[in-house]
């Protein structure tokens, strides 16, 4: 981890600072890797950038598995704090491969008509996405949107999900009853090389608006009508399409945890 939680590994240069009112900067050096994470709020859109910079300080190539982790609330804070399990059991999540994104919708939220008999389920959604750059050695390996499956019999410090997440080809809707958003990115670093990885969190009035924000800010093209995409016509299974692997596909992995 870049700071103390969850892995608890701190280098001599580990620190947190606030460069400006809309940003937070975290840095750490451990195991021959320098990591910097800058969190920045957009001044007008409801989004937050996570810009992670990894620098290889050694004269050998490195393969780093960078894994994000978010827990969803998607409700009035008081409601979520009083009944977190009731709140999360009504949330649906959807993985959208063309946008490398997990979308979340809370079915408890209703539209804002003054007449309560006219209110319907709100489609407002939160999202967590990442920008792939295969030519720069940045590839999405997998994702997870079930907290139960991610942690397994482990803890957030040593989760079972590190041994295999859902394949990015496993698109569609699911009710996990304990939703999270976690993306696993493989970063290949040349000797003394570096890589910049951009994650995006945000909120849209509906799924289409969320996809538009991802497209605009991560530079990903939306091809055709999203309602025709596989992610919006397929229901996923809780028990299928697990990668179940501990390597990056060629039988090798960098075993050091950051």
């Amino acid at each position: 981890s870049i700071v103390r939680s969850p892995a608890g590994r701190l280098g001599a240069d580990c620190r947190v600072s606030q460069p400006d009112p809309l940003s937070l900067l975290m840095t750490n050096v451990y195991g021959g890797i320098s990591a910097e994470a800058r969190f920045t709020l957009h001044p007008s859109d409801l989004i937050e950038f996570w810009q992670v910079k990894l620098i290889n300080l050694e004269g050998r190539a490195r393969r780093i598995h960078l894994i994000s982790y978010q827990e969803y609330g998607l409700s009035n804070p008081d409601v979520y704090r009083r009944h977190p399990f009731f709140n999360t059991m009504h949330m649906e999540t959807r993985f959208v491969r063309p946008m490398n994104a997990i979308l979340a919708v809370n079915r408890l939220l209703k539209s804002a008509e003054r007449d309560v008999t006219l209110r319907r389920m709100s489609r407002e959604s939160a999202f967590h996405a990442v920008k792939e750059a295969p030519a720069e050695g940045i590839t999405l390996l997998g994702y997870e949107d079930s907290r139960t499956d991610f942690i397994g019999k482990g803890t957030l410090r040593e989760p079972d999900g590190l041994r295999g997440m859902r394949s990015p080809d496993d698109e569609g809707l699911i009710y996990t009853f304990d939703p999270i958003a976690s993306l696993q990115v493989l970063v290949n670093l040349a000797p003394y090389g570096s890589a910049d990885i951009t994650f995006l969190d945000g909120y849209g009035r509906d799924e289409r608006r969320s996809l538009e924000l991802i497209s605009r800010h991560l530079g990903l093209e939306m091809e055709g009508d999203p309602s025709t995409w596989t992610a919006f016509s397929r229901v996923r299974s809780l028990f299928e399409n697990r990668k179940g692997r501990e390597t990056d596909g060629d039988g090798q992995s960098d075993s050091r945890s950051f």
Side-chain angles (χ1 to χ4, degrees):
S1 55
I2 294 179
V3 289
R4 178 179 296 276
S5 296
R9 295 179 173 90
L10 299 180
D13 295 327
C14 183
R15 61 184 182 274
V16 179
S17 60
Q18 188 173 7
D20 58 70
L22 296 179
S23 298
L24 190 68
L25 180 64
M26 302 179 181
T27 59
N28 197 6
V29 177
Y30 184 84
I33 299 293
S34 171
E36 174 184 291
R38 182 181 295 268
F39 306 91
T40 306
L41 297 176
H42 193 274
S44 56
D45 288 335
L46 298 176
I47 60 171
E48 177 188 61
F49 290 99
W50 293 32
Q51 294 167 309
V52 180
K53 186 178 188 66
L54 300 178
I55 302 175
N56 184 2
L57 304 178
E58 299 181 344
R60 62 186 178 100
R62 302 289 296 273
R63 292 185 177 95
I64 304 297
H65 287 208
L66 182 64
I67 299 176
S68 63
Y69 181 85
Q70 298 273 9
E71 294 188 7
Y72 284 120
L74 266 180
S75 187
N76 181 293
D78 289 339
V79 173
Y80 175 74
R81 289 168 181 161
R82 286 199 303 269
H83 303 289
F85 299 109
F86 180 78
N87 183 71
T88 55
M89 71 183 293
H90 289 87
M91 290 174 60
E92 64 182 55
T93 49
R94 187 186 307 272
F95 182 70
V96 184
R97 179 60 170 124
M99 297 287 108
N100 299 323
I102 299 172
L103 307 184
V105 173
N106 190 340
R107 297 178 65 87
L108 292 175
L109 300 181
K110 305 299 180 183
S111 55
E113 286 82 5
R114 294 179 64 87
D115 186 344
V116 295
T117 64
L118 299 177
R119 293 178 184 175
R120 298 294 181 267
M121 175 184 161
S122 172
R123 296 305 305 179
E124 57 193 288
S125 69
F127 60 83
H128 180 58
V130 68
K131 183 173 183 178
E132 267 190 306
E136 300 172 19
I138 302 169
T139 307
L140 179 65
L141 280 186
Y143 75 94
E144 186 56 76
D145 50 359
S146 167
R147 185 175 185 270
T148 302
D149 288 334
F150 182 80
I151 297 177
K153 295 181 179 179
T155 64
L156 279 178
R157 180 168 292 185
E158 298 284 349
D160 283 354
L162 299 184
R163 292 193 285 269
M165 302 177 81
R166 284 183 176 267
S167 166
D169 296 329
D170 188 17
E171 295 188 78
L173 174 72
I174 200 169
Y175 286 89
T176 67
F177 304 109
D178 196 3
I180 61 166
S182 178
L183 299 171
Q184 181 183 31
V185 179
L186 173 65
V187 184
N188 287 294
L189 294 174
Y192 303 110
S194 65
D196 295 284
I197 307 95
T198 300
F199 293 89
L200 187 68
D201 286 327
Y203 167 88
R205 61 178 176 268
D206 53 36
E207 289 105 322
R208 178 181 287 274
R209 174 58 176 167
S210 291
L211 295 175
E212 290 171 351
L213 287 170
I214 297 169
S215 174
R216 183 197 312 163
H217 291 286
L218 291 185
L220 303 175
E221 185 175 353
M222 290 178 59
E223 298 182 1
D225 183 354
S227 65
T228 66
W229 294 356
T230 302
F232 291 89
S233 61
R234 181 173 180 269
V235 177
R236 290 181 281 133
S237 168
L238 278 172
F239 309 107
E240 296 178 0
N241 217 336
R242 296 276 159 205
K243 282 197 169 185
R245 62 179 183 176
E246 298 185 25
T247 67
D248 52 29
D250 61 0
Q252 302 177 12
S253 65
D254 196 327
S255 61
R256 290 194 187 182
S257 298
F258 194 90

